[in-house]
Amino acid sequence: MSLTFEFASPAPVPTPAPDRVTLFVDVILPLPLPKLYTYRVPYELNDNVVIGGRVIVQFGAKRTLSCIVAAVHETPPKEYQAKYILEFIDDAPVVTQPQLKLFRWMAEYYMCTLGEVINAALPSALKLSSESRIQLHPVFVAEGSPYPLDDKEQRIVDALGGEDGKALTFTEVGDLLEVASFHKVIKSLMQKDVIFLFEQMADKYTPKVVKKVRLAEHFVTMAAVEQLFDTLASKPKQVDVLLKYLQRVPVHHNEHLNQQGIEKAALTSSPHLSPSAVNTLIKNGILEQFDQIVSRFPLEENPLAQMPFQLSEAQTTARDEVMTLFGQKNIVLLHGVTGSGKTEIYIDLIRNALDGGGQVLYLLPEIALTAQIVTRLMRVFGSRLGVYHSKFSDNERVEVWNGVLSGRFQVVVGVRSAVFLPFDSLSLLIVDEEHESSYKQYDPAPRYNAREVALMIGNFQGAKVLLGSATPAVETFYMARQGRYGLVSLSKRFGEAGMPEIELIDTRKLRADKKMHNHFSSDLLSAMESKIAQQEQVILFQNRRGYAPVIACQDCGYIPKCQSCAVSLSYHKHAHELRCHYCGYHEGMPTQCPACGSRALRTQGFGTEKLEDDLKIMLPQANVQRMDLDTTRAKNAYQQIIGDFEQQKTNVLVGTQMVTKGLDFENVSLVGIVNADAIIHYPDYRAHERAYQMFVQVSGRAGRKGKKGKVLIQTGDPTQVIFDKVIRNDYLEFYAYEIEQRREHEYPPFTRMIKLTVKHMDQELAQKAAILLTQELVDRLGRSVVLGPEPPYIFRIRNFFLQEIVIKLSREHTVLKQAKLDICAAMDIVRDQKEFRQARLVADVDPM
DNA sequence: AGCACGCCGACT
DNA sequence: GTCGGCGTGCTC
């Protein structure tokens, strides 16, 4: 100890901790990366750390990203120096703890990264993005540049203006120059020190603002108002405006009303008022204009909100049974035939759950989430109801997200992705049409099934889950039969409506007898004719869009195929072009055969478009409308078509799957399934289930409100087993038959499947990679559980050749977990192979 | 996923 | 000779 001081400084007692802890956070980047990344919290900002909040970090040399804080700790990373967090965005979580837990489970279960889950979960407006901007360099502004600038460069400099420091984004520069290669110009300007580049995080959520007006403060007394009218006596237009304002906002009764004012548009757009008078009043300081941030979902308190409706006896019984079963089980399946009034039961249960103070999530397949159902729910739940739909704008989604966080929305009705919303105290989840395959996300990752996710949320949050369907998924019904789920059945239709009468039409026989007219049997045609004559409506179902799936040259047999996919091009008559339904490629319809020059190009097969066309000729008296992906692409087209049909402007609705879902049309008395065989003959184990569900669901559209409906099914082979089950409308019988098939062939629910797809531009390499992958899988899991590799029916999509491997696993959790690890390991081995660098490997857990 | 670093063809 | 193609590897 060598001290140079006279008085020794106090012995270095362990300093009473200066409380200077260094915090680190693990963040989830919105990227498909397998790990979390650790950043350091600037000491002064320790208090700002929020788990589930967003932070901005520098990732790599050039990128600035926003990400979610998943964990906070004090452990400095050993192998590297953590970078600092640049900025904190939120002072409260945007992602709740229960969500983080759920997202971790999803990533593990569906074999993807947390980043991918986060990416799918967050509305993109919550994902800040770095937008590169350029600005004039201060040195250049002061001294100019020693280098000469060319024309393009000068234009950019001009646009950036002088001292005011205006910044342009790259896109803006691109627009300015009208050329794509603006990077060169920017680069050159940067080298000349004329501009510099900076990154700016832009919050993409913009609140909705309305312009409002109110009376300027010093006029808000009776006396002042009266005086005002005197002064304005010679300005009748302005007086009109003021009168209107006072009528809407009776300031003389209550001065405080003035604070809220009214929307400016209410005055300016009124036909009796002059907009310029409004502006004059504002200019003269009599009215004042202000902005107010408003919700995109107007808070209209509905007086009818609590209006009770009467459940039928059957509904009441079912509701009570559900409630009783919830006492013993967390999951209940409500098996109710089409038209049995499940929705009313849901509403009743939701109301009940809300009274208990919990949140409710009500999931519907996309095509079933219609204005019809939303209006109905709005009427009951008013402003407590949030709606989450894929056709919503991003801003609207953020509002729902925030509304759930703030507690404003206690019920959300939504599609698949609504399972990502930040609930933290759900007491009830409803999955309607639980068998629907649209609950499963195919691509991209996470390839989740919202039904399964809902079940897991229920499990995590201690909430009850109600699954509803007229045609439950075989897996679901099995669980109910096993006693794992409660089961409630509703076998009667609501009201007096009976089940429709189903009839098969043997098209093969009729064709031989020359009783087929194009794709219509005379039976179907005459049935349609008579229904239309009786002012009743008809739905025709054909599960194929477009005009014809194939065109062929009559002379040489040539069939136009997609250049990027292994499919023939479908003919779309309206657009007069050939389209690929897999990659979207399209080209004009050729006038002659590209191979032999013949003009004899004929269509083969038929889609909704051709049916619509044929009907217009065969039933000229009918008003025919088509509803499929092609006619509903525009934002409100769907609503338009439904509306027209509802108001009976159309007699016949021809459509794909879309017409099968949850639409209640009271006047439909006939449903025709034009080609049942196309639905049954599908190369996978679920074909029968899907066909059964489809037939029953379409049939369910026939006959409601007391009218007995009729269903005509055209098929080339009426003897197929499945028809028997459909006609007798006996789900149990169908189930009994199907479950045996599943047991015998070891399909779900007796096993759990994982489908691996290998994609490669090179056919041979795709196959080689798949063979290696299979080998690696067999080594780890055993030969018996690995099937394939095999090219799928459509073996090439978007220029990638596909190979599929299916793994059938035991449903035991531990086995499953281990198997997934093994599968990952096997995939990594293939990925690490130099030869297969270009291969893409995708795992799909519980494929549909 | 981007973005940088690094090694081989068609242009000033 | 350089500009630029995209193959490979990393990002706290």
Side-chain angles (χ1 to χ4, degrees):
Chain A
M1 196 187 240
S2 67
L3 293 169
T4 55
F5 299 110
E6 187 119 353
F7 302 101
S9 55
V13 282
T15 35
D19 209 21
R20 197 186 171 91
V21 280
T22 306
L23 294 182
F24 294 90
V25 295
D26 296 337
V27 299
I28 309 168
L29 291 156
L31 300 172
L33 298 169
K35 314 177 295 174
L36 299 185
Y37 284 74
T38 306
Y39 285 84
R40 183 171 174 174
V41 180
Y43 170 67
E44 332 68 81
L45 297 174
N46 274 3
D47 292 342
N48 295 31
V49 179
V50 176
I51 291 184
R54 291 169 301 167
V55 293
I56 297 174
V57 297
Q58 180 94 40
F59 185 65
K62 218 182 170 291
R63 286 201 294 169
T64 316
L65 296 167
S66 75
C67 48
I68 301 286
V69 175
V72 187
H73 55 86
E74 294 177 29
T75 327
K78 289 188 192 71
E79 274 119 64
Y80 54 87
Q81 190 71 38
K83 284 185 184 169
Y84 277 103
I85 286 177
L86 299 179
E87 218 172 306
F88 286 83
I89 304 170
D90 306 302
D91 45 22
V94 284
V95 175
T96 63
Q97 294 277 359
Q99 276 181 296
L100 284 174
K101 187 176 175 195
L102 178 75
F103 294 172
R104 285 203 187 91
W105 172 80
M106 282 181 79
E108 187 192 305
Y109 185 87
Y110 290 108
M111 301 177 74
C112 65
T113 68
L114 254 184
E116 286 169 319
V117 178
I118 281 281
N119 225 0
L122 293 188
S124 53
L126 286 179
K127 296 177 230 163
L128 301 188
S129 74
S130 75
E131 229 177 319
S132 303
R133 288 167 173 267
I134 54 167
Q135 201 167 26
L136 287 184
H137 202 290
V139 175
F140 172 79
V141 175
E143 307 168 19
S145 171
Y147 309 101
L149 304 180
D150 70 17
D151 171 50
K152 284 178 182 170
E153 292 171 347
Q154 191 57 51
R155 262 157 67 196
I156 291 178
V157 171
D158 291 346
L160 287 168
E163 297 82 4
D164 57 357
K166 205 166 85 184
L168 289 180
T169 64
F170 273 26
T171 1
E172 287 168 322
V173 175
D175 293 345
L176 196 71
L177 293 182
E178 292 162 357
V179 286
S181 62
F182 58 84
H183 285 101
K184 232 190 226 168
V185 186
I186 289 173
K187 211 170 177 179
S188 145
L189 282 171
M190 277 168 61
Q191 273 165 5
K192 293 175 185 171
D193 273 337
V194 175
I195 58 167
F196 71 97
L197 194 140
F198 69 99
E199 302 272 324
Q200 183 186 302
M201 305 303 292
D203 207 330
K204 282 181 286 187
Y205 171 68
T206 45
K208 187 176 172 185
V209 174
V210 287
K211 290 206 183 314
K212 297 185 93 176
V213 292
R214 63 188 165 209
L215 215 49
E217 212 178 316
H218 49 282
F219 292 111
V220 191
T221 61
M222 277 283 253
V225 170
E226 268 166 36
Q227 206 189 344
L228 199 52
F229 277 109
D230 287 344
T231 24
L232 293 176
S234 59
K235 319 230 166 54
K237 297 275 187 199
Q238 295 185 32
V239 169
D240 285 348
V241 173
L242 272 183
L243 282 171
K244 177 79 177 182
Y245 180 83
L246 291 172
Q247 181 199 333
R248 293 280 302 273
V249 187
V251 178
H252 41 289
H253 291 309
N254 182 352
E255 290 180 14
H256 297 293
L257 290 176
N258 189 58
Q259 198 57 36
Q260 281 298 304
I262 61 171
E263 282 184 33
K264 188 183 178 188
L267 296 178
T268 51
S269 61
S270 166
H272 309 296
L273 300 177
S274 140
S276 66
V278 177
N279 286 326
T280 310
L281 285 165
I282 294 168
K283 205 174 69 196
N284 294 340
I286 296 166
L287 289 179
E288 67 177 358
Q289 184 172 325
F290 62 105
D291 289 341
Q292 189 171 65
I293 293 172
V294 296
S295 165
R296 287 184 171 79
F297 302 97
L299 276 170
E300 52 183 75
E301 211 41 70
N302 196 319
L304 301 172
Q306 290 305 316
M307 188 183 73
F309 51 83
Q310 208 57 46
L311 291 185
S312 74
E313 211 181 300
Q315 286 172 323
T316 312
T317 314
R319 191 261 331 260
D320 293 345
E321 278 179 54
V322 171
M323 293 296 282
T324 312
L325 280 170
F326 273 151
Q328 308 149 23
K329 315 211 181 227
N330 292 324
I331 304 164
V332 172
L333 168 64
L334 176 59
H335 175 211
V337 296
T338 54
S340 57
K342 292 191 286 292
T343 314
E344 287 80 11
I345 298 176
Y346 298 152
I347 291 176
D348 202 76
L349 290 166
I350 294 172
R351 193 189 279 154
N352 203 300
L354 290 178
D355 289 346
Q359 298 168 314
V360 178
L361 173 60
Y362 177 7
L363 293 180
L364 283 165
E366 201 151 301
I367 22 185
L369 183 47
T370 56
Q372 266 179 344
I373 181 86
V374 172
T375 319
R376 209 151 136 206
L377 293 169
M378 274 288 178
R379 205 167 290 152
V380 182
F381 301 110
S383 59
R384 290 185 291 174
L385 177 77
V387 183
Y388 206 64
H389 196 284
S390 59
K391 277 198 176 160
F392 277 1
S393 75
D394 218 70
N395 278 330
E396 287 167 316
R397 287 193 215 191
V398 176
E399 288 211 23
V400 178
W401 186 283
N402 288 335
V404 171
L405 272 178
S406 72
R408 187 178 143 209
F409 296 131
Q410 288 148 301
V411 202
V412 172
V413 57
V415 296
R416 181 173 72 208
S417 55
V419 294
F420 292 119
L421 287 167
F423 301 102
D424 58 3
S425 58
L426 282 165
S427 64
L428 175 66
L429 296 101
I430 296 171
V431 185
D432 194 19
E433 311 284 355
E434 65 67 41
H435 64 277
E436 261 292 312
S437 61
S438 64
Y439 281 125
K440 171 79 183 182
Q441 170 148 319
Y442 256 116
D443 210 41
R447 298 177 173 78
Y448 65 102
N449 184 327
R451 185 228 294 152
E452 301 305 313
V453 176
L455 292 172
M456 195 43 75
I457 296 175
N459 179 13
F460 284 166
Q461 298 194 25
K464 305 292 176 189
V465 184
L466 181 63
L467 306 174
S469 177
T471 51
V474 170
E475 288 94 321
T476 306
F477 205 76
Y478 176 75
M479 295 298 263
R481 272 297 179 83
Q482 293 286 300
R484 303 275 295 277
Y485 302 168
L487 176 62
V488 175
S489 296
L490 254 178
S491 52
K492 275 222 191 74
R493 284 189 145 191
F494 185 80
E496 289 99 86
M499 292 311 287
E501 180 190 323
I502 302 173
E503 233 175 79
L504 295 175
I505 297 174
D506 187 340
T507 52
R508 197 174 303 166
K509 186 157 158 279
L510 288 177
R511 202 172 295 282
D513 298 349
K514 299 259 184 290
K515 280 185 181 160
M516 288 295 285
H517 313 273
N518 282 342
H519 314 289
F520 299 98
S521 57
S522 23
D523 296 3
L524 179 56
L525 274 181
S526 61
M528 289 176 72
E529 244 167 327
S530 81
K531 294 299 179 188
I532 292 164
Q534 291 164 45
Q535 304 289 312
E536 292 174 357
Q537 289 172 294
V538 180
I539 288 179
L540 276 194
F541 176 72
Q542 166 62 11
N543 206 19
R544 167 152 249 152
R545 67 191 170 94
Y547 190 88
V550 181
I551 63 163
C553 171
Q554 298 299 289
D555 291 328
C556 72
Y558 174 84
I559 292 174
K561 303 245 171 65
C562 176
Q563 295 158 27
S564 322
C565 311
V567 291
S568 56
L569 293 170
S570 296
Y571 174 49
H572 285 242
K573 193 180 182 197
H574 181 72
H576 198 64
E577 61 184 16
L578 297 176
R579 282 187 206 162
C580 172
H581 287 184
Y582 287 83
C583 72
Y585 168 83
H586 56 97
E587 62 179 43
M589 172 72 179
T591 49
Q592 53 189 63
C593 173
C596 72
S598 157
R599 290 185 177 275
L601 289 171
R602 288 270 184 77
T603 59
Q604 287 181 4
F606 60 101
T608 45
E609 199 183 358
K610 178 150 200 325
L611 289 186
E612 180 195 15
D613 237 48
D614 290 352
L615 279 179
K616 281 181 174 159
I617 296 163
M618 288 190 267
L619 296 175
Q621 75 277 27
N623 198 345
V624 183
Q625 175 65 266
R626 170 165 59 101
M627 183 163 88
D628 55 29
L629 204 70
D630 298 306
T631 59
T632 55
R633 236 182 284 262
K635 205 168 183 178
N636 293 315
Y638 180 82
Q639 211 42 56
Q640 181 70 42
I641 294 171
I642 300 282
D644 283 356
F645 197 64
E646 225 163 26
Q647 291 161 37
Q648 305 188 26
K649 288 183 191 165
T650 20
N651 308 103
V652 183
L653 189 63
V654 182
T656 53
Q657 310 232 26
M658 255 177 229
V659 299
T660 66
K661 299 293 141 49
L663 304 169
D664 295 345
F665 301 116
E666 294 175 5
N667 197 37
V668 175
S669 58
L670 174 67
V671 165
I673 296 172
V674 188
N675 182 8
D677 305 323
I679 303 164
I680 301 170
H681 301 298
Y682 218 83
D684 79 70
Y685 77 96
R686 251 186 250 270
H688 273 136
E689 178 180 356
R690 210 177 3 239
Y692 178 82
Q693 287 164 345
M694 228 175 248
F695 293 149
V696 173
Q697 298 281 348
V698 191
S699 305
R701 302 307 118 210
R704 295 221 165 178
K705 281 276 157 73
K707 269 180 217 149
K708 197 172 171 90
K710 188 167 192 169
V711 180
L712 295 177
I713 301 179
Q714 300 194 139
T715 169
D717 180 8
T719 62
Q720 297 172 93
V721 216
I722 182 139
F723 289 129
D724 189 47
K725 321 289 177 206
V726 174
I727 289 174
R728 295 159 52 146
N729 201 358
D730 191 339
Y731 176 82
L732 289 180
E733 210 178 280
F734 159 76
Y735 170 78
Y737 165 79
E738 185 65 21
I739 198 76
E740 275 322 307
Q741 301 283 311
R742 301 283 181 95
R743 195 194 305 274
E744 196 175 313
H745 298 104
E746 297 180 323
Y747 280 121
F750 301 101
T751 52
R752 213 174 257 281
M753 295 192 2
I754 297 178
K755 187 172 84 184
L756 304 182
T757 307
V758 178
K759 310 181 190 186
H760 203 292
M761 301 268 239
D762 182 298
Q763 188 163 23
E764 204 177 310
L765 283 174
Q767 199 182 357
K768 280 176 83 177
I771 289 171
L772 173 64
L773 180 56
T774 308
Q775 191 51 53
E776 294 295 331
L777 289 165
V778 169
D779 289 350
R780 289 169 174 77
L781 303 166
R783 177 72 264 183
S784 62
V785 300
V786 184
L787 283 79
E790 212 170 71
Y793 177 64
I794 294 160
F795 60 88
R796 184 172 177 237
I797 294 178
R798 291 174 193 269
N799 285 318
F800 279 89
F801 288 92
L802 311 182
Q803 289 281 334
E804 287 178 355
I805 299 162
V806 170
I807 302 158
K808 285 183 185 173
L809 296 165
S810 134
R811 291 185 79 89
E812 231 178 285
H813 287 292
T814 47
V815 175
L816 199 61
K817 244 181 179 172
Q818 184 53 48
K820 282 175 185 168
L821 292 176
D822 289 334
I823 292 167
C824 282
M827 293 205 296
D828 283 338
I829 290 209
V830 179
R831 277 194 266 253
D832 288 347
Q833 220 74 32
K834 257 214 173 80
E835 194 186 358
F836 303 133
R837 229 62 250 267
Q838 308 266 20
R840 292 194 204 169
L841 307 188
V842 169
D844 187 359
V845 180
D846 304 334
M848 284 192 93

